[in-house]
Structure formats: structure tokens, C-alpha cells
Amino acid sequence: MNIIFLGAPGSGKGTQSERIIDKYGLVHLSTGDMLRAEIAAASELGLAAKSIMDAGGLVSDEIVIGMIEKRLTEKGALFDGFPRTIAQAEALDKLLAEKGQKIDCAIHLDVGKDELMNRLLGRGRADDNEATIANRLAVYQTQTAPLIDFYRAQGKVHTVVGNGTIEETSAKITAILDTLKL
Ligand code: B4P
């Protein structure tokens, strides 16, 4: 099965991914983690991505699609923070179709803005200051939130209210995945 986690910055995509991958035997594909690894390695790609990420923008579709393409296998995947634009979503559908696969389910983690702010300010990552977070939330609304309708049109969206504790949110997600029996 192939699953997508959709949600605003700080909604818990990365946190929940860690709890889900082993249970369902999925490969964890986080474009955020891949980009941070490139920055840590001081690669050319990392250097180009760093200023964009620090400003709260989105790295180019071409770069992130290329990173995902390199890592796709025959195994089911959990896509964490990818796709973030319609162009990325269309590219992913195409790449999966070439392997005879598809997205089975898109989990939309829905968390209120105040809670998102609290979590991100408490996390302390380089791109977690107030101005950057405000930009990331705005970019999410314009570029990424339209993906909810994109996947809803395919009948794949399951919305999980993620304001509660990490454990409560995990329980809601596993209940959905268990019901789907993918
Ligand atoms: P990401 O790495 O994807 O990170 P994120 O959206 O900020 O966070 P996430 O939702 O995973 O939150 P987390 O679990 O960590 O992106 C970083 C940047 O990379 C982007 O801004 C962009 O520049 C670039 N990028 C990545 N993918 C891209 C793409 N496809 N295209 C273009 N650019 C891309 O949780 C946050 C905090 O909340 C943590 O401290 C956690 O402990 C806490 N938390 C989580 N759940 C909680 C709960 N239930 N209760 C209390 N605290 C909780």
C-alpha cells in the first residue's frame, strides 16, 4: 500500500510516520528529511535548498520529484511531506503508474493554527522562527491545501483531527488504515 500524509507544517506528519512505518512495513519517504540530509552533507543541492527552507518556501518541484523518483521501490511507501504541490502530485501518480502502483489513501492531519504555532516554536529547528513559520503556513494554504481536493476527487482522503496527543492521533490513523485493509 502507498499512503500520503498531508497536513500543515507541524501537523505531525514526521512524528506519526515514525509510528506507522514499522506496523505496516512501509518505506518512509520524507522529502524534508532528505533535504535536511543534503544540507548536513553540504551538497550542491543542500546549499541551494537551505536558503529556500530557511525562508519557509518550497524547494523546486523538479528537485523533490527527482529525489522521490530515485527512492521508489516495489515496496509500499509512506510519503511524508510529499507531494506539496499539484505538479508533484501529478508526477507521483505518473511514477507510481509506471510501476503498476497507485496511492491508496491520503491521510489529512488537520490541526488548528494556534496549536501548529505552539508546536513549531517549541521544536527549535533552524526554520522554526516566527516569521518563517508564518510564511510556511501561508505557502501551505496556497500551494499544498489544494491537494486535499485533488485526492478527495479520487475518493482517497481521510481527515484526522490531530490536535490531541501523539498517541491519540496514532490511534485514529491506525483505525483508518486497519479498516481499509490494504
Ligand atoms: P518537513 O520536514 O516536511 O516538516 P514540517 O511540515 O515542518 O513538519 P511535520 O508536519 O512533519 O511536523 P512534526 O511531526 O515534525 O518540511 C520542512 C521544509 O522542507 C519545508 O518547509 C520545505 O521548505 C521543504 N520541503 C519538504 N518537502 C518538500 C516538498 N515536497 N516540496 C518542496 N519543499 C519541500 O511535528 C512538529 C512538532 O510538533 C514536533 O516537535 C513534534 O514533536 C510536535 N508534535 C507532533 N505531534 C504532536 C502532538 N500530537 N502533540 C504535541 N506535539 C506534537
Side-chain angles (χ1 to χ4, degrees):
M1 83 176 148
N2 289 295
I3 300 170
I4 291 174
F5 273 177
L6 283 174
S11 57
K13 302 181 295 289
T15 305
Q16 294 301 330
S17 295
E18 297 297 338
R19 304 172 70 95
I20 300 293
I21 44 172
D22 289 342
K23 179 165 162 67
Y24 297 95
L26 299 169
V27 177
H28 184 198
L29 296 178
S30 160
T31 41
D33 286 351
M34 292 171 204
L35 290 166
R36 282 184 288 278
E38 295 284 347
I39 292 172
S43 69
E44 202 178 318
L45 194 161
L47 293 175
K50 185 171 176 7
S51 55
I52 299 170
M53 290 168 74
D54 284 350
L58 291 183
V59 175
S60 81
D61 289 337
E62 200 190 346
I63 287 179
V64 290
I65 291 165
M67 291 191 319
I68 287 288
E69 186 172 12
K70 270 201 287 188
R71 289 166 174 87
L72 280 183
T73 65
E74 304 306 318
K75 247 183 121 187
L78 170 51
F79 296 92
D80 162 10
F82 178 92
R84 263 177 157 93
T85 64
I86 296 281
Q88 291 177 21
E90 289 173 345
L92 180 60
D93 278 350
K94 200 163 153 245
L95 289 171
L96 289 174
E98 285 165 7
K99 292 188 172 298
Q101 296 184 39
K102 61 176 172 41
I103 293 298
D104 297 293
C105 160
I107 302 278
H108 166 216
L109 287 172
D110 190 9
V111 176
K113 199 172 166 189
D114 291 348
E115 175 70 13
L116 293 173
M117 271 288 178
N118 283 340
R119 286 184 191 176
L120 293 173
L121 288 173
R123 185 170 61 176
R125 217 168 61 192
D127 56 345
D128 285 340
N129 62 74
E130 214 154 329
T132 300
I133 294 169
N135 194 33
R136 284 159 64 197
L137 292 176
V139 168
Y140 172 77
Q141 280 310 326
T142 55
Q143 306 260 72
T144 308
L147 291 180
I148 299 166
D149 279 341
F150 178 91
Y151 288 109
R152 195 172 277 141
Q154 301 182 14
K156 292 176 181 166
V157 172
H158 296 262
T159 294
V160 169
V161 175
N163 280 327
T165 65
I166 291 172
E167 289 70 25
E168 284 165 353
T169 304
S170 300
K172 289 181 192 174
I173 294 170
T174 49
I176 290 168
L177 296 179
D178 288 346
T179 308
L180 289 175
K181 292 201 176 61
L182 293 167

